[in-house]
Amino acid sequence: MPKLKLITYGCQANDLDSERITGLLLREGFTLTEQEEEADLIVLNTCAIREKAEHKVYSRLGSFQALKRQRAGLKIGICGCVAQQEGQALLNRFPYLDFVVGPGQLTAIPTLLQAGAARGVATARAAGYSYPVDAPVQRRSGIRAWVSIMEGCDRFCTFCVVPFTRGRERSRPPQAIIEEIRELKRQGYREVTLLGQTVNSYGRKLTPPISFVELLRHIDQLVGDYMRVRFTSPHPSDVTDELAAAIAELPSLCEQIHLPVQSGSDRILHQMKRGYNREEYLEKVALLRAKAPDIAITTDIIVGFPGETEEDFQATLDLMQEVGFDGAFIFKYSPRPHTEAEGMPDQLSEEVKGRWLEHALRLLNQSSLERNRAYIGRTVEVLVNREDAKVDTVRHTGRTRQNKIVHFRGDEVVDGSMVQVAITEATPLYLQGEIVC
Ligand code: SAH
Ligand code: SF4
Ligand code: F3S
């Protein structure tokens, strides 16, 4: 049987696409391998969000050139956002590449692999909802699953390549989502994460329209407290009273939100076309905390956007201080093709961006440590999951409803079970404790 080596970069949407690609190719008779030396097909599922992500793909691809010479019949394909962004140019630039397939075109892969097929490109942007592809998703985890509920993005933030790589926003019909989650529950999954680029603007364009919160309520009725439900990433502008109330009320919905802010400066937020200002963001945070006091809030921040001044950056630090984030991904701004910000004047130097990044990371460290220390002495519900294990010295690992990683000691526990853990220690990145039952 031919062997597939699949390499995945990027966000959860890409993780899920890789599980779809695996499903498609297993049906075609492939088996999975970790070793690229023994692969008959190598697929890179790529990310274009920052220049560095794109460069990683090219250097990995370069390393396969020799392999291609040694192994007759080896095929190499690129999928994902770099595929969509670059298209035919990739085939021109890398003569040993066999196919290029955008995120909306996964079902083209088997055809492009047929014996005697010419090198090919499938990057037409999907007009409709592309999920599920007509083969079962081959999930890596048996405990938590990604469930796509919408694709694409209409917001066109000036720094972001996603609307160009993933196309316009389209929502998946609620019935299909419910059916998928029903099946996941039947299979014993304990957690689903609903995925979408602006996941909380779900459903408005469907006929009949349905709101994100209505969908969450339907899901809650189905899974109750057996399954945990998360979603990522919501857009601050669409955080509503109803959503905050749902987080507080629904047993399945976890007290956790990843709410990208990007900047604390009104001037920069405006330049980014984010659609909210600092005060509005802070109001959303206050609303969430008022309704669900136990909520953990994480974010994304970009430092060094074109024209950003020390004063703007300071406003971001102030906002970080004011909110006290549980965690954050902080990025140096990276100019991306097709985006408005790429052509903006006053692009900042790597030196400035690097300095600001370090500064912001130090502040983040303090706030996440402080937030995590507040758990010391509390007993929390942990979903046991070995996939989260990073430390060998403790026996078990899992996550709290707030999505905090917990390493804990105790007798044997079953992967996928819920246990109570008394928290005894905290670091900025995880909690530690002892199992109580
Ligand atoms: N849909 C999500 C973001 C997806 S991209 C949202 O709107 O929140 C994930 C993160 O990558 C973004 O939140 C942003 O912080 C970062 N990012 C996107 N484009 C970037 C760029 N050009 N340079 C640096 N970081 C970027
Ligand atoms: Fe990108 Fe903005 Fe859309 Fe998020 S909302 S995917 S940052 S364009
Ligand atoms: Fe990257 Fe595409 Fe996701 S650019 S972050 S893989 S949507």
Side-chain angles (χ1 to χ4, degrees):
M1 276 202 274
K3 292 199 169 90
L4 163 69
K5 164 78 178 169
L6 179 57
I7 302 160
T8 309
Y9 302 93
C11 62
Q12 293 94 338
N14 255 18
D15 274 340
L16 175 57
D17 278 350
S18 280
E19 294 179 342
R20 295 170 176 172
I21 294 169
T22 309
L24 264 172
L25 289 175
L26 293 193
R27 197 183 55 184
E28 296 294 308
F30 280 85
T31 56
L32 287 174
T33 176
E34 285 304 314
Q35 263 75 47
E36 52 212 40
E37 296 76 20
E38 63 169 33
D40 301 283
L41 169 64
I42 301 177
V43 174
L44 288 98
N45 193 15
T46 63
C47 172
I49 200 79
R50 285 166 291 274
E51 202 178 7
K52 219 161 134 192
E54 193 179 334
H55 280 165
K56 251 193 239 166
V57 173
Y58 299 141
S59 66
R60 192 76 190 261
L61 191 57
S63 72
F64 298 144
Q65 188 168 15
L67 210 57
K68 178 97 178 185
R69 255 185 259 121
Q70 289 158 20
R71 262 182 88 78
L74 169 63
K75 293 214 167 188
I76 301 177
I78 291 209
C79 298
C81 290
V82 175
Q84 183 65 45
Q85 181 184 289
E86 298 297 313
Q88 176 69 35
L90 287 172
L91 287 189
N92 301 346
R93 179 169 164 194
F94 301 99
Y96 49 95
L97 191 59
D98 294 283
F99 63 85
V100 175
V101 170
Q105 301 293 314
L106 300 183
T107 44
I109 298 174
T111 319
L112 288 164
L113 277 174
Q114 271 163 16
R119 299 168 76 221
V121 181
T123 52
R125 263 187 223 124
Y129 203 85
S130 67
Y131 185 88
V133 292
D134 57 347
V137 179
Q138 190 67 34
R139 300 182 190 276
R140 274 186 306 171
S141 166
I143 298 172
R144 61 180 176 220
W146 308 121
V147 172
S148 171
I149 69 164
M150 50 121 56
E151 294 180 333
C153 182
D154 283 350
R155 286 198 167 259
F156 288 90
C157 302
T158 57
F159 53 81
C160 185
V161 80
V162 171
F164 303 96
T165 61
R166 297 256 167 192
R168 291 301 73 71
E169 179 189 313
R170 51 214 185 269
S171 290
R172 184 180 178 200
Q175 299 80 0
I177 297 169
I178 296 289
E179 274 320 303
E180 184 174 0
I181 295 175
R182 192 191 306 280
E183 178 59 19
L184 289 168
K185 184 182 171 199
R186 203 190 55 76
Q187 292 172 3
Y189 279 84
R190 301 303 305 269
E191 182 172 307
V192 290
T193 302
L194 310 176
L195 295 184
Q197 291 300 337
T198 52
V199 73
N200 52 336
S201 49
Y202 171 81
R204 266 181 234 149
K205 290 192 210 155
L206 286 171
T207 26
I210 166 172
S211 78
F212 180 55
V213 173
E214 281 175 82
L215 178 71
L216 290 173
R217 291 190 179 274
H218 285 308
I219 294 172
D220 186 73
Q221 276 171 10
L222 175 66
V223 304
D225 57 6
Y226 180 74
M227 266 171 128
R228 287 176 170 185
V229 176
R230 305 183 190 279
F231 54 85
T232 200
S233 287
H235 191 280
S237 300
D238 290 328
V239 169
T240 57
D241 286 7
E242 292 76 36
L243 178 58
I247 294 173
E249 287 163 21
L250 299 182
S252 62
L253 196 56
C254 287
E255 294 74 33
Q256 173 247 323
I257 193 163
H258 182 73
L259 196 60
V261 66
Q262 314 300 359
S263 170
S265 154
D266 279 344
R267 205 177 62 83
I268 297 297
L269 285 171
H270 184 73
Q271 294 282 312
M272 288 174 162
K273 294 202 176 145
R274 281 294 287 178
Y276 53 84
N277 60 28
R278 174 195 179 95
E279 195 188 324
E280 285 162 339
Y281 183 88
L282 291 171
E283 277 167 15
K284 304 289 178 175
V285 168
L287 170 69
L288 289 162
R289 285 188 172 151
K291 296 259 190 210
D294 215 14
I295 197 168
I297 304 180
T298 54
T299 198
D300 290 342
I301 289 170
I302 295 177
V303 298
F305 187 81
E308 185 170 341
T309 63
E310 291 279 352
E311 207 183 343
D312 294 316
F313 175 59
Q314 188 59 47
T316 298
L317 296 177
D318 291 347
L319 179 130
M320 289 175 71
Q321 200 110 45
E322 195 166 337
V323 174
F325 288 109
D326 288 85
F329 296 113
I330 309 180
F331 308 104
K332 292 192 276 185
Y333 168 74
S334 168
R336 303 312 295 137
H338 314 298
T339 62
E340 244 185 282
E342 187 196 22
M344 288 183 183
D346 304 321
Q347 301 277 336
L348 301 187
S349 69
E350 272 304 300
E351 191 265 320
V352 170
K353 291 188 221 175
R355 184 157 50 80
W356 287 355
L357 176 68
E358 290 295 313
H359 194 151
L361 284 173
R362 277 199 300 278
L363 188 60
L364 172 67
N365 225 37
Q366 285 169 18
S367 81
S368 40
L369 180 60
E370 199 175 304
R371 296 281 304 168
N372 284 353
R373 277 197 180 137
Y375 286 87
I376 296 176
R378 280 180 64 180
T379 296
V380 292
E381 181 197 84
V382 172
L383 171 57
V384 183
N385 193 344
R386 272 189 214 103
E387 295 157 34
D388 290 319
K390 289 203 177 80
V391 183
D392 297 332
T393 50
V394 281
R395 295 195 54 175
H396 311 300
T397 300
R399 282 180 194 246
T400 69
R401 289 177 62 86
Q402 289 77 13
N403 213 22
K404 302 215 177 255
I405 292 181
V406 184
H407 301 299
F408 58 99
R409 286 174 286 265
D411 295 337
E412 272 322 302
V413 286
V414 180
D415 221 22
S417 63
M418 301 275 186
V419 295
Q420 297 290 324
V421 175
I423 302 302
T424 53
E425 281 170 66
T427 75
L429 296 178
Y430 60 87
L431 308 172
Q432 240 167 271
E434 303 276 346
I435 192 163
V436 287
C437 64

